[in-house]
Amino acid sequence: MNFLKSFYIHNSFFRYIAILSALFIVSYWVKWLYPIAWMTTFFLISLFVLDIFLLYRSKKGIDASRIAPQKLSNSDHNTITLNFRSFYPFKVLITIIDELPVQFQKRDFEYHTMLTKGDKKQFDYTVRPVDRGEYVFGNLNIFVSSTLKMVKRRYIFQKDEMVPVYPSIIQMQQYDFLAMSNNLTEFGLKKIRRIGHTQEFEQIKEYIAGDDFRTINWKATAKRSQLMVNQYQDEKSQPIYSIIDTGRVMKMPFNELKLVDYAINSTLAFSNVALKKNDKTGMISFSKKIETFLPAVQKITYLNTILEKLYNITTAFTDSDFGLLYAHIKRKVNHRSLLLLYTNFEHISAMRRQLPFLTAIAKKHVLVVIFFENTELKELIETNAEDIQSIYHKTIAEKFSLEKRLMQKELQQYGIQTILTKPEHLTINTINKYLEIKARGLL
């Protein structure tokens, strides 16, 4: 039974049969070809049997393995490595078919190569998941054939291997250096001009060119007979919460990724940076109810707890209850905190319905409302209108785009910080705003 499951006819064999059939047909008119056709038939059968013997005489002719990360990173290109080795004493042709998880909807994965005896090879390919959850890789199929190309033998490795897809760990690692470096402009981070300085004194050090002369410590200068300055650092242990709206407005997809997943990826990367900056980080997710609440904690291992909670976030098809969010924050968040609210408003009327709750939250905390530009509308606006219908579409698109900017200005009038961003620039803009607030001492 195992033999039958692993036994396949090579495509080339059917070409040989086609040539042999043509030879028999032609021999109907050319008589001397008839015995040659039969001789060719017996020769072909002999090669067929020989090929079976060559491929099946070894119990283990091929060894292969698939190496995948323990956790795939959502929205990123994750590398999968295939290692394979031949134990056949002759050159073999192999075809690799890896059964990818159903979420990728890819059924044409195929890789061809040639191996000699003891030859080891490696093949890398990438996958880009756009949904969190469990991804199950099926069989790693290796089809082996000799240079005779009569039959193929199938080997199966690593059946049903499950790999979870978590929020973007790769993006988090990319911005990890931000917590330790002040050279932030490489990745689009702005240099923030500090107005004055925060109150946490760090040390007295020698003056070097570029230091603020207003921080000169005259007593230390007199003692050392050289210029000395006070060095300050950003205040630490400030509570910061990432609040994710998981209602229907966050199900809108851009570049195959839902807005809620952009928010989740940004929350993970930002939380890592804030923890490295020695601030306390927490998280809230809500729609019709408060789904997740993690109090702000200053502990780097807390990032694992945040990661697991982000992994399990789901979106609903209901409108979110901002009144419930306000009541929960009033009850649970007792200290003045920085609140980063990831949500989306497509109409100014929708924003105004939530405005009383947002202004109430902003009275006690520093609230940053983060919502999204509709990049597809921007493409429509930039397209030349050539007929009445396209003019109508472009006018409506410009109206929606204008409403987004009006929302931003109206929120700022009520003392609410805002970020209006393209989905793909969310993380960098969020970290920029965090650094700006820290530099200005608003918290």
Side-chain angles (χ1 to χ4, degrees):
M1 184 61 77
N2 290 333
F3 170 78
L4 293 177
K5 287 183 177 179
S6 65
F7 180 80
Y8 287 80
I9 303 295
H10 199 287
N11 290 341
S12 298
F13 180 76
F14 296 103
R15 299 189 187 98
Y16 302 150
I17 293 295
I19 295 171
L20 187 60
S21 301
L23 197 60
F24 272 107
I25 292 170
V26 173
S27 69
Y28 180 79
W29 295 280
V30 184
K31 303 298 183 182
W32 58 270
L33 285 178
Y34 185 71
I36 294 175
W38 274 108
M39 290 173 62
T40 305
T41 301
F42 290 124
F43 180 68
L44 196 62
I45 292 172
S46 301
L47 290 179
F48 186 81
V49 174
L50 176 62
D51 206 14
I52 294 174
F53 172 75
L54 292 174
L55 292 177
Y56 281 88
R57 68 173 179 173
S58 300
K59 285 189 176 181
K60 185 179 180 182
I62 291 288
D63 187 31
S65 63
R66 178 201 302 117
I67 302 174
Q70 289 185 346
K71 297 173 182 176
L72 294 179
S73 181
N74 193 23
S75 77
D76 296 313
H77 292 280
N78 300 263
T79 301
I80 309 296
T81 300
L82 302 180
N83 292 314
F84 38 94
R85 180 181 183 183
S86 173
F87 296 102
Y88 283 105
F90 51 87
K91 186 184 294 185
V92 292
L93 309 170
I94 68 168
T95 300
I96 301 175
I97 298 178
D98 198 2
E99 296 178 0
L100 299 180
V102 66
Q103 291 93 332
F104 293 120
Q105 290 297 298
K106 186 175 176 63
R107 294 293 176 267
D108 58 352
F109 181 97
E110 199 169 306
Y111 174 69
H112 303 273
T113 190
M114 185 179 292
L115 295 175
T116 57
K117 181 182 179 181
D119 199 6
K120 294 181 182 178
K121 281 194 178 181
Q122 176 179 306
F123 173 64
D124 295 331
Y125 68 94
T126 60
V127 292
R128 181 179 180 264
V130 292
D131 281 305
R132 286 164 290 115
E134 295 183 350
Y135 283 54
V136 179
F137 286 82
N139 298 335
L140 174 58
N141 301 286
I142 310 289
F143 293 88
V144 184
S145 61
S146 70
T147 52
L148 295 176
K149 296 184 179 180
M150 293 286 186
V151 298
K152 293 191 288 187
R153 180 179 178 182
R154 182 174 76 159
Y155 293 87
I156 299 175
F157 302 92
Q158 291 178 253
K159 179 177 174 60
D160 296 337
E161 180 185 7
M162 193 281 288
V163 181
V165 173
Y166 272 71
S168 182
I169 300 168
I170 292 176
Q171 189 181 103
M172 180 195 73
Q173 293 169 342
Q174 179 185 3
Y175 293 109
D176 188 39
F177 81 100
L178 300 180
M180 300 171 285
S181 170
N182 289 322
N183 301 320
L184 307 174
T185 53
E186 261 185 64
F187 283 81
L189 286 158
K190 301 173 184 175
K191 287 185 176 179
I192 307 298
R193 187 173 72 87
R194 295 179 180 272
I195 301 173
H197 55 72
T198 53
Q199 298 303 310
E200 287 200 16
F201 173 78
E202 186 176 12
Q203 63 177 344
I204 299 173
K205 70 179 187 71
E206 293 182 11
Y207 175 87
I208 58 173
D211 284 339
D212 188 349
F213 65 87
R214 291 172 297 181
T215 63
I216 293 175
N217 187 317
W218 294 109
K219 286 185 179 180
T221 298
K223 287 180 181 179
R224 297 287 297 273
S225 299
Q226 61 179 353
L227 283 175
M228 306 293 289
V229 295
N230 294 332
Q231 185 173 356
Y232 297 87
Q233 63 182 358
D234 289 332
E235 292 184 20
K236 299 178 181 179
S237 301
Q238 294 178 306
I240 299 167
Y241 286 87
S242 297
I243 305 172
I244 302 175
D245 179 358
T246 61
R248 64 177 179 83
V249 295
M250 298 293 280
K251 292 184 77 72
M252 189 180 297
F254 288 93
N255 295 327
E256 300 180 331
L257 200 68
K258 295 191 287 288
L259 290 181
V260 70
D261 284 303
Y262 282 107
I264 287 169
N265 291 344
S266 175
T267 296
L268 181 62
F270 167 77
S271 297
N272 182 52
V273 170
L275 284 169
K276 294 289 179 68
K277 287 281 190 181
N278 298 307
D279 280 325
K280 299 177 181 177
T281 58
M283 190 194 81
I284 302 171
S285 66
F286 77 104
S287 57
K288 277 295 184 184
K289 62 179 182 178
I290 302 299
E291 297 163 354
T292 305
F293 175 69
L294 291 176
V297 173
Q298 183 189 348
K299 193 163 57 173
I300 196 64
T301 55
Y302 199 51
L303 193 65
N304 291 326
T305 305
I306 294 173
L307 177 62
E308 292 298 328
K309 291 295 184 182
L310 290 172
Y311 172 71
N312 291 307
I313 284 179
T314 57
T315 48
F317 286 96
T318 57
D319 289 322
S320 298
D321 189 341
F322 281 75
L324 179 65
L325 175 66
Y326 164 67
H328 184 81
I329 291 173
K330 186 176 181 181
R331 187 172 65 255
K332 294 289 187 179
V333 184
N334 300 318
H335 301 285
R336 180 175 170 82
S337 305
L338 172 60
L339 307 179
L340 301 171
L341 173 59
Y342 298 90
T343 186
N344 197 38
F345 302 114
E346 284 300 318
H347 305 281
I348 197 165
S349 57
M351 185 273 293
R352 286 173 177 164
R353 282 198 300 270
Q354 312 304 341
L355 194 56
F357 304 114
L358 298 177
T359 52
I361 294 170
K363 286 179 181 177
K364 184 176 179 182
H365 305 281
V366 177
L367 176 62
V368 181
V369 175
I370 304 167
F371 56 111
F372 299 88
E373 293 181 21
N374 192 322
T375 52
E376 293 183 5
L377 286 183
K378 188 174 181 180
E379 291 176 7
L380 185 59
I381 291 169
E382 292 174 352
T383 303
N384 292 328
E386 297 178 351
D387 52 40
I388 296 296
Q389 187 175 14
S390 59
I391 292 172
Y392 173 76
H393 289 160
K394 187 171 181 176
T395 303
I396 295 299
E398 288 175 347
K399 176 180 178 295
F400 278 115
S401 180
L402 175 62
E403 277 199 357
K404 289 278 188 178
R405 297 192 294 275
L406 291 176
M407 287 182 229
Q408 189 177 26
K409 288 185 178 179
E410 189 166 339
L411 286 168
Q412 290 170 349
Q413 287 173 358
Y414 286 92
I416 299 170
Q417 301 281 328
T418 61
I419 300 174
L420 176 59
T421 179
K422 295 178 181 179
E424 58 269 25
H425 297 157
L426 173 62
T427 300
I428 200 71
N429 288 335
T430 302
I431 296 175
N432 265 332
K433 178 60 74 172
Y434 162 70
L435 295 175
E436 178 189 337
I437 289 170
K438 293 280 287 184
R440 292 171 61 187
L442 298 179
L443 187 54

